[in-house]
Amino acid sequence: MSLVYLKNVVTLKLDADKCDGCGMCLQVCPHAVFHIENRKAVIGDRDRCMECGACTRNCAAGALFVRAGVGCATAVINSKLHGTEVSCGCSEEVCCN
Amino acid sequence: MSTPCGCGSQNTCSGITIQPIVHAPWITGIVATTVGLIPTISTKLTRSDRLSALKMRLGIGRMKYKIPPGLYAAGRPAATSPVLVTANYKLSFDRLRMHLSAFNAWILVLDTNGINVWCAAGKGTFGTAELINRIRITKLEQLISHRKLILPQLAAPGVAAHLVKEATGFNVKYGPVYAHDLPDYFRNDSRIKPGMRRVHFPLRDRLALIPMELMPALKYIPVFIAWLIIVQLLRDHHLSFKILTELIPYFAAIFCGSVLFQILLPWLPFRSFIINSWLLTIIFITTLGVLFAVDWSSFLPLLFILPPISAYLAVNFTGSTTFTSLSGVKKELAWGIPVIIISIISGMIIQFVSII
């Protein structure tokens, strides 16, 4: 029984040379993707990553990269149909969550 | 919502920031502070709050559930009291305040256009810029003697803590994911236990999202009816109420893709939403077919038409889950949408061929 999505697809990258071990990525990741090893952050289970972008945004050292975006099929389909960027098209009137 | 002073877009007058006066049942009073009049709020949810939560889950009149951004007081906070930041979606606000009855705290509500914390963070509206802006408008640094802000962890996709610190001097501390962990957090000197940093997707949360899956799915019913009318005219040369029984399998597909899939999600064997729901629907409709002893020749087109309908509905649940990545969704749709389209068209062809 588990909730995990596709294997080996996420764009998450960690540059160990730039990492200063501040641990912010551990604090903000909702799926405990990171842990500290030898005073630097390390990616544990990358398949748990949902590309929310919290780690990348809060990494002051610029060691992290992920192509953050909404993991929402409706958003992807709409972007293909209208030729626009993938984004959550929901508004205050229609938020599905 | 009235602005007592007519000067300027930021409602500043003689250096005192006046927040628009808010009238709402959850406001219990007003406290006068060095930065103006701050509403005090109730930390008990009422039946009306619970009813509005239900309506929000059903998507009824959602824009009514935006609350005015700005500062609010829970209990009797002082300059040393903690500052908790949240979104201006009433459900987010209610979920926060209901856990604050034992505490004195300030609540800084950001303008996220009435969207919840996590979605707004992803969109950037619960963001660095809005947080900095709201700190400045409310003149928070004059009200608070410390320089710490507690943000829900799920605000992190939108907020760069180090940039907020540079711009305002305030240190962003990411608190627990769930407001219900706040009392424990406060009582243990702001200590975060690892369990407080994980997002879960229990049955209860999945059930709460089902109405917003099911209701949009119902809009396909006229399409199914139109299809069945065409088939019936070609086959029987007249319309009859048999159409209603022929609709039942389509309701089954909607049920599989918008309800059953969501309930069974953690126990489904594959990672792909499309594969899982396709299989689930085949099993479900075959079981129904056996139970109701259907004519298997009329069942064949359904085997091609119903699972893709259900799969399409199920894959749209990716926007509401807590664990699907954009890269994963793109990969799944790249093969999934063509397969869905081809399967439906094949089913329609098989149906037409069986009529000839």
Side-chain angles (χ1 to χ4, degrees):
Chain A
M1 191 218 97
S2 77
L3 287 173
V4 66
Y5 201 35
L6 308 188
K7 272 198 279 226
N8 236 345
V9 287
V10 297
T11 53
L12 182 65
K13 290 195 259 284
L14 169 52
D15 183 345
D17 293 331
K18 292 192 178 150
C19 174
D20 62 11
C22 75
M24 277 304 278
C25 52
L26 274 79
Q27 283 186 46
V28 300
C29 180
H31 294 298
V33 168
F34 303 97
H35 57 273
I36 298 280
E37 239 172 60
N38 297 325
R39 313 233 297 236
K40 289 205 182 216
V42 161
I43 296 174
D45 187 350
R46 64 186 298 113
D47 290 339
R48 285 208 301 261
C49 172
M50 62 184 288
E51 298 182 320
C52 71
C55 58
T56 300
R57 195 175 293 283
N58 283 277
C59 179
L64 279 164
F65 168 81
V66 75
R67 191 196 45 210
V70 272
C72 170
T74 312
V76 174
I77 290 168
N78 285 335
S79 89
K80 282 277 188 279
L81 289 178
H82 303 122
T84 51
E85 286 288 305
V86 180
S87 73
C88 165
C90 291
S91 66
E92 72 232 36
E93 282 116 42
V94 189
C95 173
C96 60
N97 300 319
Chain B
M1 197 169 79
S2 61
T3 312
C5 168
C7 46
S9 59
Q10 293 197 6
N11 305 322
T12 49
C13 178
S14 314
I16 301 170
T17 303
I18 300 174
Q19 195 169 283
I21 306 290
V22 185
H23 297 289
W26 38 270
I27 304 259
T28 56
I30 277 214
V31 59
T33 70
T34 49
V35 299
L37 302 171
I38 307 289
T40 55
I41 60 169
S42 164
T43 55
K44 266 211 210 30
L45 297 194
T46 61
R47 192 166 357 136
S48 154
D49 292 323
R50 285 182 238 276
L51 187 60
S52 57
L54 188 58
K55 287 190 195 165
M56 285 180 259
R57 283 299 177 205
L58 296 174
I60 300 170
R62 270 190 70 119
M63 46 293 201
K64 287 201 313 177
Y65 299 112
K66 264 163 55 150
I67 68 167
L71 273 167
Y72 296 85
R76 297 155 73 88
T80 50
S81 301
V83 179
L84 299 163
V85 186
T86 191
N88 75 328
Y89 176 42
K90 186 167 186 294
L91 193 49
S92 305
F93 185 69
D94 286 357
R95 287 267 182 91
L96 171 60
R97 64 188 174 95
M98 67 187 272
H99 295 107
L100 299 180
S101 39
F103 304 99
N104 299 307
W106 300 103
I107 300 182
L108 181 63
V109 173
L110 302 188
D111 184 358
T112 61
N113 293 315
I115 301 285
N116 68 79
V117 170
W118 209 8
C119 285
K123 292 164 87 100
T125 44
F126 195 126
T128 307
E130 166 58 15
L131 179 54
I132 291 172
N133 184 42
R134 203 56 54 186
I135 290 169
R136 292 199 175 132
I137 294 178
T138 55
K139 298 235 163 35
L140 191 65
E141 79 284 355
Q142 291 178 22
L143 177 68
I144 302 295
S145 61
H146 61 80
R147 287 292 175 262
K148 179 172 149 175
L149 299 170
I150 301 171
L151 264 63
Q153 184 180 326
L154 297 185
V159 175
H162 52 285
L163 296 182
V164 174
K165 166 115 194 239
E166 247 173 60
T168 66
F170 276 92
N171 292 302
V172 164
K173 291 286 171 233
Y174 290 107
V177 167
Y178 298 105
H180 64 69
D181 283 326
L182 278 173
D184 193 345
Y185 174 77
F186 283 137
R187 286 194 195 107
N188 286 291
D189 201 30
S190 299
R191 195 171 75 89
I192 285 255
K193 300 181 185 141
M196 295 176 176
R197 292 233 174 272
R198 300 298 299 268
V199 161
H200 305 292
F201 201 30
L203 178 62
R204 180 202 178 103
D205 290 356
R206 302 196 303 276
L207 288 174
L209 293 167
I210 282 176
M212 290 302 282
E213 295 298 309
L214 189 52
M215 296 193 334
L218 299 180
K219 73 175 188 284
Y220 292 111
I221 290 176
V223 177
F224 303 149
I225 291 177
W227 159 248
L228 290 172
I229 286 176
I230 293 173
V231 168
Q232 201 177 69
L233 286 175
L234 288 175
R235 186 186 61 213
D236 307 334
H237 308 293
H238 68 269
L239 290 176
S240 78
F241 284 111
K242 246 181 38 157
I243 281 214
L244 295 175
T245 37
E246 288 173 355
L247 253 185
I248 292 173
Y250 289 82
F251 282 126
I254 290 180
F255 175 74
C256 283
S258 324
V259 180
L260 196 56
F261 172 83
Q262 284 70 9
I263 292 172
L264 297 180
L265 186 56
W267 299 287
L268 298 173
F270 302 102
R271 293 168 180 249
S272 154
F273 279 31
I274 290 178
I275 295 176
N276 276 330
S277 54
W278 202 290
L279 215 59
L280 178 66
T281 307
I282 289 179
I283 293 173
F284 191 80
I285 60 175
T286 305
T287 307
L288 283 187
V290 167
L291 288 176
F292 291 98
V294 297
D295 157 31
W296 295 102
S297 66
S298 63
F299 185 76
L300 186 64
L302 292 181
L303 212 52
F304 283 82
I305 293 175
L306 300 180
I309 290 173
S310 167
Y312 181 75
L313 297 174
V315 82
N316 279 294
F317 193 49
T318 49
S320 299
T321 57
T322 62
F323 62 98
T324 53
S325 60
L326 174 58
S327 298
V329 168
K330 283 186 175 179
K331 180 172 178 182
E332 196 172 4
L333 292 179
W335 63 263
I337 294 292
V339 168
I340 284 171
I341 293 173
I342 291 171
S343 183
I344 291 178
I345 291 177
S346 304
M348 290 167 72
I349 292 174
I350 293 173
Q351 180 70 79
F352 284 136
V353 163
S354 76
I355 292 173
I356 296 170

